[in-house]
Structure formats: C-alpha cells, structure tokens
Amino acid sequence: MAFLADALTRIKPSATTALTQKARDLKAQGRDIISLSVGEPDFDTPDNIKQAAYAAIKAGKTKYTPVSGISELREAIVGKLKRENNLDYKPSQTIVSTGGKHVIFVALLSTLNPGDEVIIPAPFWVSYPEMVLLCGGTPVPVDCPIEHDFKLQPEALERAITPKTKWIILNSPSNPTGAAYTWDEMKAITDVLLKHKHVWILTDDMYEHLVYGDFKFCTPAEVEPNLYDRTLTMNGVSKAYAMTGWRIGYAAGPQKLMNAMDMVQGHQTSGTSSISQWAAVEALSGTQAHLPVFRKAFEERRDLVVSMLNQAKGLNCPMPEGAFYVYPSMAELIGKTAPSGKALATDEDFVLELLETEGVAAVHGSSFGLGPNFRISYATSNALLEDACNRIQRFCANLR
C-alpha cells in the first residue's frame, strides 16, 4: 500500500517558490543574483501596526482566539468592507485565516465534491488549480490572452460554465499580470453569472489598494448586489500593508458558508496568531497614510519596468493597471538560441537561461497557465529594477 496520498500525484510544486529557492541557492554560491520572482513588498510594515502588536504582547493577548477571529478584527473587517466596498456584513459573516491562501483553501475544502468544477481565468496564480485538485475538484482554466488584456471575456465565461460548475475564482488586480477589471468589465462578467444560479463567486481582492493612475477598484458583489448571496469576498493585509509574514487573510460571505468554513478551520488551525490579529485591527482601522506612498513608489517602478522591457528585443510588455507584476510576452524569442547554445523551446527555457546567464530570476508564464510569457515582480528598488532590465535587454539582444 502506498504511503503518500494519491492527491499528491495530482498537483505540482509552486513554480514561484521553486524559482525563488533556485535564486537563493545561486546567491549562496556567490553569484550576483537579482530575484524578481517573489510577490512580496520590499517595504517594512508601518510603525503604527507594529506598535499595536507590541501593545498586544505587553497586554498578554497571547492566548487562543475564537476560530474565526477576535471580535475586534471581525468588526474592523465589517467596517472596511462597508467603508471601501459598499458591502454590508455582520461580524458572524466574516472569517480570519492564516493568510489569503488559507481562506481559499478552507472555502474549497468546505464546498467541493468529486467532479465539481472551478473556473479559473488564465493566467492565474499558481496555487488556485492545485488547491482545487487537493480539495477533490476539477480546475477549468479559461484562456485570457494578451489580445484581451489578460481579462476574462463574457463569451468565454459563458462557454466554460457547465452543470458541474461550483465556483469561479476572480482575481483583480491579478497575480501574475496586474490586469484589473473596470466597473463595466466586471459588470459584463457578473451579468453572465446572474444567469447561472448554481455558480458561486470567490473573489481574491488581495491587491485592491495597489491600483495606479485614475483606475478605480471594484469587487463583484459591489457591482452586482444580486450576487451577494453566493459571493465570498476575500482579502488580506499582506500586500497593501507589507505584512506578508504576519499571515492574515480574511473573507466575508453568506452565513451558511461561513459556518462551514468555521467548522473546517476549527479542525485545521483553531484560528490564527493572536498577535497578528491585533496588528491587523490597526491595519484596517488605523491611519492609511502609507498607502499613497506605496502606490506612488510602485507606479514609478511599473512605468520604469514596462518602458525598459519594451525596449528589449523580442519582448512585448503590456501596461498593467495594478498589483506589482508585469507579464511580458516573449513569443518572438521562442526557437532562438542562447549564447550557451541552448535552444529556447519554451518560456521555462527562457527564464532558466536568463537566470544562469544574467543572474535575473523571473517565473515562466506556463506555470501560470498561459505562455509564452514570464512574470516579473517589481516590488524592489528602482536601482535593482534598472539593473535587472538592462541585463534582460542584453540577454534578449544576444539571442540568435
């Protein structure tokens, strides 16, 4: 009898984690490596949030918390969703988990049966399909090519829905592309979903506050209130508050779903870190003065990277509306040969040669479900980004 679970044969390791680790290993060997593979702000957690954590420790708030989170944080989530998204929830309709990934996992584990389908627009965050598979469901990727700005089209959504469809996962702004849906674009999607009453919506709003220029963020249940009763709105503090290591994600949704998620989470983690929860109360309820500073820095970096990558031979880099990623196409470079003599048959070949030759770590697009592209995170300094883009330009110029 096999020792390991059959479920492990259905999933793949995270490509982003693998590339990041490979870059770390090369750096440890003394190589000059610029890692643009990880989606993590380089900013420190704002001081007011850190002070709230210190205060919680000093006050002895270090015991187990309720499974779905401390009441103060659940109240803060309700306030945030009303204030920023025009969504009305009761604290009992919220849950706090160990990061946004955990929220999604608990939601899928609470609802999926074998044969249930989950529609996932591609390119997608690498973990979505793997989580669906681990929970016994069937991921249904729907291609959203560069010609459509990497956004799901209503007609494509309509074609993908079957009687077995349980969920659609929407992510705006997107990891890996940075693409974000305008109100009208989101309305076109929700119009389709209104017609299919068996389909639930899981919206990953983790990059909500990282949108640029005049772009206005919107979320499905805000755009179409008639979807409120079958929408799980997920968010967290990792990206906008530079709190990746604090591991706090949260969600709000219909009471029957939240009750199920509370039960499942109770057997998994019994709730998340008490100190992190008190820090998150301050993040959501305290001053938001750091947000314009973060946004301005990220927007400058975005503009720098898009400009420089579009000057690289054979690359086409669209301008994203949000997040801190770009997703350039290198279709023109497929079939070229690197200076090492390696033929570039795939986007994975491209990123591995780029890492070996120029010391720049990126992630291949095929791992996000749509290539030939690669993802770069611009959540690092302008100087490092300029250096990295110069190296990418040189690498592309030397292909034959």
Side-chain angles (χ1 to χ4, degrees):
M1 185 171 65
F3 172 66
L4 296 177
D6 291 345
L8 293 183
T9 66
R10 299 197 294 267
I11 64 169
K12 306 184 294 293
S14 165
T16 49
T17 304
L19 262 299
T20 301
Q21 188 56 51
K22 186 172 176 65
R24 284 195 195 106
D25 293 344
L26 288 172
K27 204 162 194 171
Q29 295 166 21
R31 290 282 304 276
D32 175 18
I33 302 294
I34 301 175
S35 182
L36 305 180
S37 57
V38 67
E40 181 170 51
D42 58 324
F43 301 112
D44 196 11
T45 304
D47 282 340
N48 63 304
I49 297 172
K50 289 192 280 188
Q51 290 300 329
Y54 299 151
I57 294 169
K58 286 181 180 176
K61 295 175 178 176
T62 55
K63 307 297 184 187
Y64 289 135
T65 74
V67 169
S68 285
I70 59 174
S71 59
E72 291 84 352
L73 180 51
R74 297 175 83 184
E75 290 280 2
I77 291 164
V78 167
K80 178 261 181 260
L81 291 169
K82 177 64 176 173
R83 184 175 66 248
E84 297 183 352
N85 309 112
N86 199 31
L87 293 174
D88 288 300
Y89 289 100
K90 300 192 292 285
S92 65
Q93 290 178 272
T94 66
I95 191 168
V96 180
S97 301
T98 310
K101 183 181 284 188
H102 188 217
V103 173
I104 299 169
F105 213 113
V106 173
L108 296 174
L109 196 56
S110 302
T111 56
L112 289 181
N113 293 308
D116 286 345
E117 296 175 351
V118 180
I119 293 172
I120 307 173
F124 44 67
W125 180 41
V126 292
S127 291
Y128 293 148
E130 310 307 321
M131 287 192 280
V132 170
L133 288 165
L134 275 173
C135 293
T138 303
V140 178
V142 179
D143 284 355
C144 306
I146 195 169
E147 298 79 42
H148 293 144
D149 302 317
F150 302 122
K151 297 177 192 179
L152 180 63
Q153 300 302 297
E155 305 79 19
L157 172 58
E158 185 73 65
R159 288 194 297 271
I161 295 172
T162 76
K164 294 181 178 180
T165 305
K166 177 70 71 79
W167 287 98
I168 177 173
I169 299 178
L170 293 171
N171 176 212
S172 172
S174 155
N175 174 6
T177 67
Y181 292 83
T182 65
W183 185 282
D184 288 345
E185 288 168 339
M186 187 66 80
K187 185 69 171 68
I189 296 299
T190 59
D191 282 350
V192 174
L193 294 169
L194 274 178
K195 296 185 288 183
H196 299 276
K197 299 189 186 307
H198 65 293
V199 180
W200 283 61
I201 301 94
L202 197 167
T203 176
D204 178 349
D205 296 350
M206 192 62 76
Y207 297 92
E208 168 186 5
H209 289 294
L210 302 180
V211 293
Y212 310 117
D214 297 327
F215 190 89
K216 296 285 188 289
F217 172 83
C218 62
T219 194
E222 173 190 22
V223 172
E224 182 43 78
N226 288 314
L227 292 175
Y228 176 94
D229 289 334
R230 48 190 171 103
T231 298
L232 182 68
T233 300
M234 189 280 283
N235 211 317
V237 295
S238 295
K239 313 299 182 177
Y241 298 90
M243 293 175 68
T244 49
W246 297 77
R247 308 312 301 131
I248 293 286
Y250 63 83
Q255 194 67 60
K256 67 176 180 179
L257 174 60
M258 308 321 290
N259 293 346
M261 291 175 66
D262 178 89
M263 182 171 66
V264 170
Q265 185 163 294
H267 290 296
Q268 284 187 326
T269 61
S270 302
T272 191
S273 157
S274 62
I275 304 307
S276 294
Q277 290 190 58
W278 284 104
V281 171
E282 175 63 21
L284 296 182
S285 304
T287 176
Q288 308 292 303
H290 71 284
L291 284 176
V293 179
F294 280 21
R295 271 196 296 265
K296 184 173 187 294
F298 281 133
E299 187 168 9
E300 286 177 0
R301 295 169 181 185
R302 176 198 67 165
D303 294 348
L304 169 70
V305 169
V306 170
S307 172
M308 291 191 71
L309 291 181
N310 278 324
Q311 294 171 50
K313 186 178 179 184
L315 296 186
N316 173 20
C317 185
M319 178 72 78
E321 292 93 350
F324 39 66
Y325 308 105
V326 291
Y327 200 66
S329 167
M330 35 78 68
E332 291 181 31
L333 302 179
I334 293 293
K336 301 277 189 183
T337 301
S340 67
K342 168 78 175 175
L344 304 182
T346 65
D347 49 22
E348 184 173 11
D349 292 339
F350 178 91
V351 299
L352 291 174
E353 278 297 302
L354 177 64
L355 180 57
E356 287 293 338
T357 306
E358 292 290 351
V360 176
V363 188
H364 49 291
S366 52
S367 65
F368 300 105
L370 192 75
N373 296 69
F374 61 101
R375 189 194 77 172
I376 279 179
S377 165
Y378 53 84
T380 190
S381 72
N382 287 40
L384 276 177
L385 291 170
E386 192 164 346
D387 187 357
C389 288
N390 279 324
R391 298 185 192 194
I392 294 169
Q393 287 178 357
R394 184 168 61 217
F395 178 73
C396 293
N398 287 332
L399 297 177
R400 294 291 176 263

